[in-house]
Amino acid sequence: MPKQRRLKSVEDVRRYLANVLLRVEAQELDAQVAGRMSYISNVLLKAIADGELERRVAMLEKTVARGPL
């Protein structure tokens, strides 16, 4: 079974995709499989970005709710 990775940040996913590319170039991984892995990684990147945006909006809303200083 392949090593499990925790892909929690954009940097984690970037490193993961770089590894996928290196494995394809070394002919250790089928290009079609790599394409599927890349597609799923892009979905994950969107979810990470959306989560970060949601966190930032919540912080702004909290700041605005406190009113002027």
Side-chain angles (χ1 to χ4, degrees):
M1 180 157 209
K3 177 183 171 185
Q4 289 187 352
R5 292 175 173 79
R6 295 194 182 265
L7 305 175
K8 293 184 176 185
S9 69
V10 172
E11 181 63 20
D12 292 342
V13 177
R14 186 203 63 77
R15 278 193 302 262
Y16 175 76
L17 288 172
N19 180 267
V20 168
L21 177 60
L22 290 173
R23 290 172 53 202
V24 170
E25 289 176 342
Q27 297 181 346
E28 297 172 357
L29 182 64
D30 179 71
Q32 285 186 333
V33 172
R36 291 182 188 118
M37 294 166 78
S38 298
Y39 174 81
I40 293 167
S41 295
N42 279 318
V43 172
L44 178 59
L45 281 172
K46 174 94 169 83
I48 290 170
D50 288 353
E52 176 64 16
L53 182 60
E54 183 177 8
R55 184 189 66 76
R56 293 174 67 189
V57 167
M59 285 176 45
L60 287 171
E61 287 173 337
K62 187 184 282 187
T63 300
V64 169
R66 280 188 260 159
L69 297 173

Coordinates of all heavy atoms in Angstrom, one line a residue:
M1 N 0.8 -1.2 0.0 CA 0.0 0.0 0.0 C 0.9 1.2 0.0 O 1.9 1.3 0.8 CB -0.9 0.0 1.2 CG -1.8 1.1 1.3 SD -3.2 0.7 2.4 CE -4.4 1.8 1.7
P2 N 0.6 2.3 -0.8 CA 1.4 3.5 -0.9 C 1.3 4.3 0.4 O 0.4 4.2 1.2 CB 0.7 4.3 -2.0 CG -0.3 3.4 -2.7 CD -0.5 2.3 -1.8
K3 N 2.4 5.0 0.6 CA 2.5 5.9 1.8 C 1.3 6.9 1.8 O 1.0 7.5 0.8 CB 3.8 6.6 1.7 CG 4.0 7.6 2.9 CD 5.3 8.3 2.7 CE 5.4 9.5 3.7 NZ 6.6 10.3 3.4
Q4 N 0.7 7.0 2.9 CA -0.4 8.0 3.0 C 0.2 9.4 3.3 O 1.1 9.5 4.0 CB -1.3 7.6 4.2 CG -2.2 6.4 3.9 CD -3.2 6.1 5.0 OE1 -3.2 6.8 6.0 NE2 -4.1 5.2 4.7
R5 N -0.4 10.3 2.6 CA 0.1 11.7 2.7 C -1.1 12.6 3.3 O -2.2 12.3 3.0 CB 0.5 12.3 1.4 CG 1.7 11.6 0.8 CD 2.0 12.2 -0.6 NE 3.3 11.7 -1.1 CZ 3.5 10.5 -1.7 NH1 2.5 9.7 -1.7 NH2 4.6 10.2 -2.2
R6 N -0.7 13.6 4.0 CA -1.7 14.5 4.5 C -1.5 15.8 3.7 O -0.5 16.5 3.7 CB -1.4 14.9 6.0 CG -1.6 13.7 6.9 CD -1.7 14.1 8.3 NE -1.9 12.9 9.2 CZ -3.1 12.5 9.6 NH1 -4.2 13.1 9.2 NH2 -3.2 11.4 10.3
L7 N -2.5 16.0 2.8 CA -2.5 17.1 1.9 C -3.4 18.2 2.5 O -4.6 18.3 2.2 CB -2.9 16.7 0.5 CG -2.1 15.6 -0.1 CD1 -2.7 15.1 -1.4 CD2 -0.7 16.0 -0.2
K8 N -2.9 19.1 3.3 CA -3.7 20.1 4.0 C -3.5 21.5 3.5 O -4.2 22.4 3.9 CB -3.4 20.0 5.5 CG -3.9 18.8 6.2 CD -3.6 18.8 7.7 CE -4.2 17.6 8.4 NZ -4.1 17.7 9.8
S9 N -2.4 21.7 2.7 CA -2.1 23.0 2.3 C -1.8 23.0 0.8 O -1.6 22.0 0.2 CB -0.9 23.6 3.1 OG 0.3 22.9 2.7
V10 N -1.8 24.2 0.2 CA -1.4 24.3 -1.2 C 0.0 23.8 -1.4 O 0.3 23.1 -2.4 CB -1.5 25.8 -1.6 CG1 -1.0 26.0 -3.0 CG2 -3.0 26.3 -1.6
E11 N 0.9 24.1 -0.5 CA 2.3 23.6 -0.6 C 2.3 22.1 -0.5 O 3.1 21.4 -1.3 CB 3.1 24.2 0.5 CG 4.6 23.8 0.5 CD 5.3 24.2 -0.8 OE1 4.9 25.1 -1.5 OE2 6.4 23.6 -1.1
D12 N 1.5 21.4 0.3 CA 1.5 20.0 0.4 C 1.1 19.4 -1.0 O 1.7 18.4 -1.5 CB 0.5 19.5 1.4 CG 0.9 19.8 2.9 OD1 2.1 20.1 3.1 OD2 0.0 19.7 3.7
V13 N 0.0 20.0 -1.6 CA -0.5 19.5 -2.9 C 0.6 19.8 -4.0 O 0.8 18.9 -4.8 CB -1.8 20.1 -3.2 CG1 -2.3 19.7 -4.6 CG2 -2.9 19.8 -2.2
R14 N 1.2 20.9 -3.9 CA 2.3 21.2 -4.9 C 3.4 20.2 -4.9 O 3.8 19.6 -5.9 CB 2.9 22.6 -4.6 CG 3.9 23.0 -5.7 CD 4.9 24.1 -5.2 NE 5.7 23.6 -4.2 CZ 6.8 22.8 -4.3 NH1 7.1 22.3 -5.5 NH2 7.5 22.4 -3.3
R15 N 3.8 19.8 -3.6 CA 4.9 18.8 -3.5 C 4.4 17.4 -4.0 O 5.1 16.7 -4.7 CB 5.3 18.7 -2.1 CG 6.4 19.7 -1.7 CD 7.0 19.4 -0.3 NE 6.0 19.3 0.7 CZ 5.7 20.2 1.6 NH1 6.3 21.3 1.6 NH2 4.8 20.0 2.5
Y16 N 3.1 17.1 -3.7 CA 2.5 15.9 -4.2 C 2.5 15.8 -5.7 O 2.9 14.8 -6.3 CB 1.1 15.7 -3.6 CG 0.4 14.5 -4.1 CD1 0.7 13.3 -3.6 CD2 -0.6 14.7 -5.0 CE1 0.0 12.2 -4.0 CE2 -1.3 13.6 -5.4 CZ -1.0 12.3 -5.0 OH -1.7 11.2 -5.4
L17 N 2.1 16.9 -6.3 CA 2.0 16.9 -7.8 C 3.4 16.8 -8.4 O 3.6 16.2 -9.5 CB 1.2 18.1 -8.3 CG -0.3 18.0 -8.0 CD1 -0.9 19.4 -8.3 CD2 -0.9 16.9 -8.8
A18 N 4.3 17.5 -7.8 CA 5.7 17.4 -8.3 C 6.2 16.0 -8.3 O 6.9 15.5 -9.2 CB 6.6 18.3 -7.5
N19 N 5.9 15.3 -7.2 CA 6.3 13.9 -7.1 C 5.6 13.0 -8.1 O 6.2 12.1 -8.7 CB 5.9 13.4 -5.6 CG 6.3 11.9 -5.5 OD1 5.5 11.0 -5.7 ND2 7.6 11.7 -5.1
V20 N 4.3 13.3 -8.4 CA 3.6 12.5 -9.4 C 4.3 12.7 -10.7 O 4.5 11.8 -11.5 CB 2.1 13.0 -9.5 CG1 1.4 12.4 -10.7 CG2 1.4 12.5 -8.2
L21 N 4.6 14.0 -11.1 CA 5.3 14.3 -12.3 C 6.6 13.6 -12.4 O 6.9 12.9 -13.5 CB 5.5 15.8 -12.5 CG 6.2 16.3 -13.7 CD1 5.5 15.8 -15.0 CD2 6.5 17.7 -13.7
L22 N 7.4 13.6 -11.4 CA 8.7 12.9 -11.4 C 8.5 11.4 -11.6 O 9.3 10.7 -12.4 CB 9.4 13.1 -10.1 CG 10.0 14.5 -9.9 CD1 10.5 14.7 -8.5 CD2 11.0 14.9 -10.9
R23 N 7.5 10.8 -11.0 CA 7.2 9.4 -11.2 C 6.8 9.0 -12.6 O 7.1 8.0 -13.1 CB 6.2 8.9 -10.2 CG 6.7 8.9 -8.7 CD 5.7 8.6 -7.7 NE 4.9 7.4 -7.9 CZ 3.7 7.2 -7.4 NH1 3.2 8.1 -6.6 NH2 3.1 6.1 -7.7
V24 N 6.0 9.9 -13.2 CA 5.6 9.7 -14.6 C 6.9 9.8 -15.5 O 7.1 8.9 -16.4 CB 4.6 10.8 -15.1 CG1 4.3 10.7 -16.6 CG2 3.2 10.5 -14.4
E25 N 7.7 10.8 -15.3 CA 8.9 10.9 -16.1 C 9.8 9.8 -15.9 O 10.5 9.4 -16.9 CB 9.6 12.2 -15.7 CG 8.9 13.5 -16.2 CD 9.6 14.8 -15.7 OE1 10.4 14.7 -14.8 OE2 9.3 15.8 -16.3
A26 N 9.9 9.2 -14.7 CA 10.7 8.0 -14.5 C 10.0 6.7 -14.9 O 10.6 5.6 -14.8 CB 11.0 7.9 -13.0
Q27 N 8.8 6.8 -15.5 CA 8.0 5.7 -16.0 C 7.7 4.7 -14.9 O 7.6 3.5 -15.1 CB 8.7 5.0 -17.1 CG 8.9 5.9 -18.4 CD 9.5 5.2 -19.5 OE1 10.1 4.1 -19.4 NE2 9.5 5.8 -20.7
E28 N 7.5 5.3 -13.7 CA 7.1 4.5 -12.5 C 5.6 4.6 -12.3 O 5.0 3.8 -11.5 CB 7.8 5.0 -11.2 CG 9.3 4.9 -11.2 CD 9.9 5.6 -10.0 OE1 9.2 6.2 -9.2 OE2 11.1 5.5 -9.9
L29 N 4.9 5.5 -13.0 CA 3.5 5.7 -12.9 C 2.9 6.0 -14.3 O 3.5 6.8 -15.0 CB 3.3 6.9 -12.0 CG 1.8 7.3 -11.6 CD1 1.1 6.2 -10.9 CD2 1.8 8.6 -10.8
D30 N 1.8 5.3 -14.5 CA 1.1 5.5 -15.8 C 0.6 6.9 -15.9 O 0.0 7.5 -15.0 CB 0.0 4.5 -15.9 CG -0.8 4.6 -17.1 OD1 -0.3 4.2 -18.2 OD2 -2.0 5.1 -17.1
A31 N 0.7 7.5 -17.1 CA 0.3 8.9 -17.3 C -1.2 9.1 -17.1 O -1.7 10.1 -16.6 CB 0.7 9.3 -18.7
Q32 N -2.0 8.1 -17.5 CA -3.5 8.2 -17.3 C -3.8 8.2 -15.8 O -4.6 9.0 -15.3 CB -4.2 7.0 -18.0 CG -4.3 7.2 -19.5 CD -5.1 6.1 -20.1 OE1 -5.3 5.0 -19.6 NE2 -5.7 6.5 -21.2
V33 N -3.1 7.4 -15.0 CA -3.3 7.4 -13.6 C -2.9 8.7 -13.0 O -3.6 9.3 -12.2 CB -2.6 6.2 -12.9 CG1 -2.6 6.3 -11.4 CG2 -3.1 4.9 -13.4
A34 N -1.8 9.2 -13.5 CA -1.3 10.5 -13.0 C -2.3 11.6 -13.3 O -2.5 12.6 -12.5 CB 0.1 10.8 -13.6
G35 N -2.9 11.5 -14.5 CA -3.9 12.5 -14.9 C -5.1 12.5 -13.9 O -5.6 13.6 -13.5
R36 N -5.5 11.4 -13.5 CA -6.6 11.3 -12.6 C -6.2 11.8 -11.2 O -7.0 12.5 -10.6 CB -7.1 9.8 -12.5 CG -7.7 9.3 -13.7 CD -8.2 7.9 -13.6 NE -8.7 7.4 -14.8 CZ -8.1 6.3 -15.5 NH1 -7.1 5.7 -14.9 NH2 -8.6 5.9 -16.6
M37 N -5.0 11.5 -10.8 CA -4.5 12.0 -9.5 C -4.4 13.5 -9.6 O -4.7 14.2 -8.6 CB -3.1 11.4 -9.2 CG -3.2 9.9 -9.0 SD -1.5 9.1 -9.0 CE -0.9 9.5 -7.4
S38 N -4.0 14.1 -10.7 CA -3.8 15.5 -10.8 C -5.2 16.2 -10.8 O -5.4 17.2 -10.2 CB -3.1 15.9 -12.1 OG -1.8 15.4 -12.1
Y39 N -6.2 15.6 -11.5 CA -7.6 16.1 -11.4 C -8.1 16.2 -10.0 O -8.6 17.2 -9.6 CB -8.5 15.2 -12.3 CG -9.9 15.7 -12.2 CD1 -10.4 16.8 -13.0 CD2 -10.8 15.0 -11.4 CE1 -11.7 17.2 -12.9 CE2 -12.1 15.4 -11.3 CZ -12.6 16.5 -12.0 OH -13.9 16.9 -11.9
I40 N -7.9 15.0 -9.3 CA -8.4 15.0 -7.9 C -7.7 16.0 -7.0 O -8.2 16.7 -6.2 CB -8.3 13.6 -7.3 CG1 -9.2 12.6 -8.1 CG2 -8.5 13.5 -5.8 CD1 -9.0 11.2 -7.8
S41 N -6.4 16.2 -7.3 CA -5.6 17.2 -6.6 C -6.1 18.6 -6.8 O -6.1 19.4 -5.9 CB -4.1 17.1 -7.0 OG -3.6 15.8 -6.6
N42 N -6.5 18.9 -8.0 CA -7.1 20.2 -8.3 C -8.4 20.4 -7.6 O -8.7 21.5 -7.2 CB -7.2 20.4 -9.8 CG -5.9 20.8 -10.5 OD1 -5.2 21.6 -10.0 ND2 -5.7 20.2 -11.7
V43 N -9.2 19.4 -7.5 CA -10.4 19.5 -6.7 C -10.1 19.8 -5.2 O -10.7 20.7 -4.6 CB -11.3 18.2 -6.8 CG1 -12.5 18.2 -5.8 CG2 -11.7 18.0 -8.2
L44 N -9.1 19.1 -4.7 CA -8.6 19.4 -3.4 C -8.1 20.8 -3.2 O -8.4 21.4 -2.2 CB -7.5 18.3 -3.0 CG -6.9 18.5 -1.6 CD1 -8.0 18.4 -0.5 CD2 -5.9 17.4 -1.4
L45 N -7.3 21.3 -4.2 CA -6.8 22.6 -4.1 C -8.0 23.6 -4.0 O -7.9 24.6 -3.2 CB -6.0 23.0 -5.3 CG -4.5 22.4 -5.3 CD1 -3.9 22.7 -6.7 CD2 -3.7 23.1 -4.2
K46 N -9.0 23.4 -4.8 CA -10.2 24.3 -4.7 C -10.8 24.3 -3.3 O -11.2 25.3 -2.8 CB -11.2 23.9 -5.8 CG -12.5 24.6 -5.8 CD -12.5 25.8 -6.7 CE -13.9 26.3 -6.9 NZ -14.3 27.3 -5.8
A47 N -10.9 23.1 -2.8 CA -11.5 23.0 -1.4 C -10.6 23.7 -0.4 O -11.2 24.3 0.5 CB -11.7 21.5 -1.1
I48 N -9.3 23.6 -0.5 CA -8.4 24.2 0.4 C -8.6 25.7 0.3 O -8.7 26.5 1.3 CB -7.0 23.8 0.2 CG1 -6.7 22.4 0.6 CG2 -6.0 24.7 0.9 CD1 -5.4 21.8 0.2
A49 N -8.6 26.2 -1.0 CA -8.8 27.7 -1.2 C -10.1 28.2 -0.7 O -10.2 29.2 0.0 CB -8.6 28.0 -2.7
D50 N -11.2 27.4 -0.9 CA -12.5 27.8 -0.4 C -12.5 27.8 1.1 O -13.1 28.7 1.7 CB -13.6 26.8 -0.9 CG -13.9 27.0 -2.4 OD1 -13.4 28.0 -3.0 OD2 -14.6 26.2 -3.0
G51 N -11.9 26.9 1.7 CA -11.8 26.8 3.2 C -11.1 28.0 3.8 O -11.5 28.6 4.8
E52 N -10.0 28.4 3.1 CA -9.2 29.6 3.5 C -10.0 30.8 3.4 O -10.1 31.7 4.2 CB -7.9 29.6 2.7 CG -7.1 30.9 3.0 CD -6.5 30.9 4.4 OE1 -6.6 29.9 5.2 OE2 -6.1 32.0 4.9
L53 N -10.7 31.0 2.2 CA -11.6 32.1 2.0 C -12.7 32.2 3.0 O -13.0 33.3 3.6 CB -12.2 32.1 0.6 CG -13.0 33.3 0.2 CD1 -12.2 34.6 0.3 CD2 -13.6 33.0 -1.2
E54 N -13.3 31.1 3.3 CA -14.4 31.0 4.3 C -13.8 31.5 5.7 O -14.5 32.3 6.4 CB -14.9 29.6 4.4 CG -16.1 29.5 5.4 CD -16.7 28.1 5.4 OE1 -16.1 27.2 4.8 OE2 -17.7 27.9 6.0
R55 N -12.7 31.1 6.1 CA -12.0 31.4 7.3 C -11.8 32.9 7.4 O -12.1 33.6 8.4 CB -10.7 30.7 7.5 CG -10.1 30.9 8.9 CD -8.7 30.3 9.0 NE -7.7 30.9 8.0 CZ -7.1 32.1 8.3 NH1 -7.4 32.8 9.3 NH2 -6.3 32.6 7.4
R56 N -11.3 33.5 6.3 CA -11.0 34.9 6.2 C -12.2 35.8 6.3 O -12.3 36.8 7.0 CB -10.1 35.2 5.0 CG -8.7 34.6 5.1 CD -8.0 34.7 3.8 NE -7.7 36.2 3.6 CZ -7.1 36.6 2.5 NH1 -6.9 35.8 1.5 NH2 -6.9 37.9 2.4
V57 N -13.3 35.3 5.6 CA -14.5 36.1 5.6 C -15.1 36.1 7.0 O -15.6 37.1 7.5 CB -15.5 35.5 4.6 CG1 -16.9 36.1 4.8 CG2 -15.1 35.8 3.2
A58 N -15.0 35.0 7.7 CA -15.6 34.9 9.1 C -14.8 35.8 10.0 O -15.4 36.5 10.8 CB -15.5 33.4 9.6
M59 N -13.5 35.9 9.8 CA -12.7 36.9 10.6 C -13.1 38.3 10.3 O -13.3 39.1 11.3 CB -11.2 36.7 10.3 CG -10.6 35.5 11.0 SD -8.9 35.2 10.5 CE -8.1 36.8 10.8
L60 N -13.3 38.6 9.1 CA -13.8 40.0 8.7 C -15.2 40.3 9.3 O -15.4 41.4 9.8 CB -13.8 40.2 7.2 CG -12.4 40.3 6.5 CD1 -12.6 40.2 5.0 CD2 -11.7 41.6 7.0
E61 N -16.1 39.3 9.2 CA -17.4 39.5 9.7 C -17.4 39.8 11.3 O -18.1 40.6 11.8 CB -18.3 38.3 9.4 CG -18.7 38.2 8.0 CD -19.4 37.0 7.6 OE1 -19.3 35.9 8.3 OE2 -20.2 37.0 6.6
K62 N -16.5 39.0 11.9 CA -16.4 39.2 13.4 C -15.8 40.6 13.7 O -16.3 41.3 14.6 CB -15.4 38.1 13.9 CG -15.3 38.2 15.5 CD -14.3 37.2 16.0 CE -14.9 35.8 15.9 NZ -14.0 34.8 16.6
T63 N -14.9 41.1 12.9 CA -14.3 42.4 13.1 C -15.3 43.5 12.8 O -15.5 44.4 13.6 CB -13.1 42.6 12.1 OG1 -12.1 41.6 12.4 CG2 -12.5 44.0 12.3
V64 N -16.1 43.3 11.8 CA -17.2 44.3 11.5 C -18.2 44.3 12.6 O -18.7 45.4 12.9 CB -17.8 44.0 10.1 CG1 -19.0 44.8 9.8 CG2 -16.7 44.3 9.0
A65 N -18.6 43.1 13.1 CA -19.6 43.0 14.1 C -19.2 43.8 15.4 O -20.1 44.2 16.1 CB -19.9 41.6 14.4
R66 N -18.0 43.9 15.6 CA -17.5 44.5 16.9 C -17.7 46.0 16.8 O -17.7 46.7 17.8 CB -16.0 44.2 17.1 CG -15.8 42.9 17.8 CD -14.4 42.7 18.2 NE -13.8 41.9 17.1 CZ -12.5 41.8 16.9 NH1 -11.6 42.5 17.5 NH2 -12.0 41.1 15.9
G67 N -17.8 46.5 15.5 CA -18.0 48.0 15.3 C -16.7 48.7 15.3 O -15.6 48.2 15.4
P68 N -16.9 50.1 15.2 CA -15.7 50.9 15.1 C -14.9 50.9 16.4 O -15.5 50.7 17.5 CB -16.2 52.3 14.9 CG -17.7 52.3 15.0 CD -18.1 50.8 15.1
L69 N -13.6 51.1 16.3 CA -12.7 51.2 17.4 C -12.9 52.4 18.1 O -13.1 53.2 18.8 CB -11.3 51.0 17.0 CG -10.9 49.7 16.4 CD1 -9.5 49.7 15.8 CD2 -11.1 48.6 17.4

